[in-house]
Amino acid sequence: MRTHARAVVVGGGAVGVSTLYHLARKGWSDVVLIERAELTAGSTWHAAGLLPLFNMSYTVGQLHKYSVDLYKRLPAETAQDVSFRVTGNLRLATCPERMDEYRKYCGTANTIGVPFRIITPGEVKELWPLIELGGSASTAAIIGALYHPDDGHIAPADLTMALRKGARSGGAEIYEHTEMTALERTASGEWRVRTPQGDIVAEHVVFATGNYARQTGRMVGLEIPSIPVEHQYIVYDVCPELERYRRGGGRELAVLRESDQSYYLREERMGWILGPYERGAPARFADGVPDWFGKSLFEGDLERLLPHVEAAQRRVPSLEHCGIKDIINGPIAYTPDGSPLIGPAWSVRNLWLNEGHSFGITAAGGAGWQLAEWIVEGEPGIDMLAVDPRRFGAYAGRSYLIAKNEETYRNVFTIHFPDEERPDARPAKTSPVYDKLSRLGAVWGQRYGWERANWFAPAGVERSDRWSFRRTNYFEHVGNEVRLMRERVGIMDLTPFTKHEAVGPGAEAWLNGLVANKVPAQPGRIALCHALTPRGGIRSEFTITRLASERFYVVSAGAAERYDSDYLRKSLPTDGSVLLSNVTGARGCFVVAGPHSRAVLAKLTSAPLDNAGFPWLTGRAIEVGLATDVYALRVNFVGALGWELHFPIEFAHHLLDALFAAGAEFGIGMVGMRAMESMRMEKSYRMWGTDLTRDYSPFEAGLDRFVRLEKAGFIGKAALAEQRARGVPHRFATIEVHGVIDADPLGNEPLFAPGGPMVGRTTSGYYGHALRKSLAIGYVKPELAQVGTQLEVEILGERKRATVLPDSPYDPENRELRA
Ligand SMILES: Cc1cc2nc3c(=O)[nH]c(=O)nc-3n(C[C@H](O)[C@H](O)[C@H](O)COP(=O)(O)OP(=O)(O)OC[C@H]3O[C@@H](n4cnc5c(N)ncnc54)[C@H](O)[C@@H]3O)c2cc1C
């Protein structure tokens, strides 16, 4: 066995072997994989082998598409068959909301280049003759379906063996029956992977240990947010009707998914495999896989599956005539949002995760492809935020994971509404004024474990959402909140913001090396700064306030806490010249904004608030009421006169009461996240994580004024200079969509030249309540970004006329925020 390697991959399931294969393909031949048992011994051997391309996420969709394309070419490349049956994939709809979901998905599929068709019930019957179209009291009528002609199913073990062959031919080595028992740092900063067969010293280590992720992580003190859940499928005996149909020349039937009944059905040796996603499937192995489990399965629990079996029998009556041969019940790794964990581990260097895969056969190809890219090139080729392991924080502990993973599992097939907020494991993290805001009608949502008020239901209005892809019950109330903030004064509780303080003689130079803008040179000044990737994409967005000559307050998105904290910490100078502290939990944040915000605050502070005393883009510590050391920042994300008040958390109640008392005469009220979304769209404010990602540079995003190419070196500078010389491939655009009656754009819609080809994609969309316009923002080919350009945007399957607007269609001169 080798004693040294460039990288060691731990875990020989489909995901680990794909990672090894892709590292070898990138030219790293001195890489090894160790597997505690045999290859495929984890979940891979008992997977049903389905390869669904369907996924609502732009990132995951791209990974799945890559996999399907790779699996088709692997046999030729490796001379190893993978038993890929391209049967197609049929997803049924029995209600209009489901059709909306499919149509929304089609937008994403279009932008990724995944072929699909929306088909009629008649076409369903043609494709799937054994189906009952329904329409009776017991079986809902099929009203349409989504058809993917290109996917199907594969043999997971064959796939793993083909990847193994490909990896080996690139020089990689695989050691089975070799368990990592410990992982240590060497004095020189490499990894020492301990195994009973000897140690391997490596620069990089990848964890791809599936159900073992919990115990693997604990070897280096990481609580990896993945806990498996039981998942079952039923294997049926030969089905006489199916056999007759096939012997009569019928082609293999497409994999069938009746989403509204939460099951899939596929052919298997003239019989069927039926796989439900049922209620009550328990999380397992929260503290690790016990030694005795090995390659075992759990006992089948038919009782739990029965409602789905009965539904399937109603839809495919011939199922009643075949006996059950077997029930496979195995652990399937889950994460709280159902997407895998692909990317760097937090707090340790050169440790990579490819864990938490619940569709790991489908994702293996894409996950290995992008992780290898990240390890070898230093960054992935596509935006990976949706699967980045650091999208979860320390809040994702054992109890949270059990509750959320079970919830995610039973919701695999529920409709993925864009405004959906799932109830389990909540409330977890709350602002101190949570109860007060509840009494004011807050309808809560959750992000990064935090409760955030999406909107406030006025007295007498039901405090809940009716989720939809269209305008729904809260539309009018969100509009009222927008008008409150635009016309009078409102408060938003943005306590979840990520907040760091960087202090010390090296702080300015360090921050300047990380971001494209110049960090403020004068105490009291604020700058919006973007940390870029080496290729010039946007990694993070920070609002940096210089509080004193060697003290900076760094604010970023609430959901970026671990993502940004990890980055900042790992890039700190080693000479001790900067002290970084994460003060997210120590400070709350209220935004007070609107034309009367100055008058409200003036009642509570002796600090000057006029333009001369407190200009736009400045910030300082002031007293507000009884609250001391409040960092008041004259910036906000809604484009109104206003201040963000970042206060020591213990003043939260006092401050809210004081603001309400001072604002009563102006009709002050609370404003939620959905109103903020509407207002930031009206100002063309780009949102980190959706509009600003590593897929686009700040030049493409139209953020040229936040880039100082003349500044001494910063990460991404060379790539930006090159892009400026070459010309940008896309341009940011704000777009008005015409003729919208009830379905506004939401992001991820394809943009077309009128009657012509696709020319870009939206990244966000919302209704601008003050402008009374349906708005989208996104990226188009540069020549189409001019104001007045006519485009078309596809919303829920309908092409709508659209026009490119000037940036910041609401108050383009910023008169209100500078008032
Ligand atoms: C019943 C069922 C049906 C499924 N059907 C599908 C499907 O149709 N399509 C689909 O895409 N997905 C399906 N899945 C999910 C799929 O099986 C998994 O997502 C996939 O197998 C995960 O692969 P992996 O490589 O991440 O993990 P695994 O296959 O579990 O591999 C992890 C490996 O790591 C090894 N290991 C752990 N710790 C160590 C250590 N310390 N040292 C060395 N080795 C170690 C383990 O022995 C194991 O072999 C199904 C799952 C179940 C349970």
Side-chain angles (χ1 to χ4, degrees), residues 142-183:
I142 293 171
I143 61 168
L146 172 69
Y147 179 53
H148 280 103
D150 277 18
D151 65 19
H153 57 90
I154 199 166
D158 294 356
L159 167 67
T160 311
M161 292 311 147
L163 290 166
R164 163 182 174 254
K165 224 171 149 188
R168 279 189 166 163
S169 67
E173 291 182 21
I174 294 177
Y175 307 120
E176 295 181 277
H177 302 286
T178 305
E179 180 173 9
M180 176 178 74
T181 50
L183 182 63

Side-chain angles (χ1 to χ4, degrees), residues 10-16 34-36 41-44 46-50 178-180 208-212 231 233 328 330-332 357-362:
V10 185
V15 172
I34 57 172
E35 162 55 51
R36 64 191 294 280
S43 281
T44 296
H46 53 65
L50 307 179
T178 305
E179 180 173 9
M180 176 178 74
T209 59
N211 303 314
Y212 291 75
H231 177 46
Y233 60 79
I328 304 291
I332 185 165
H357 283 274
S358 52
F359 289 91
I361 307 305
T362 319

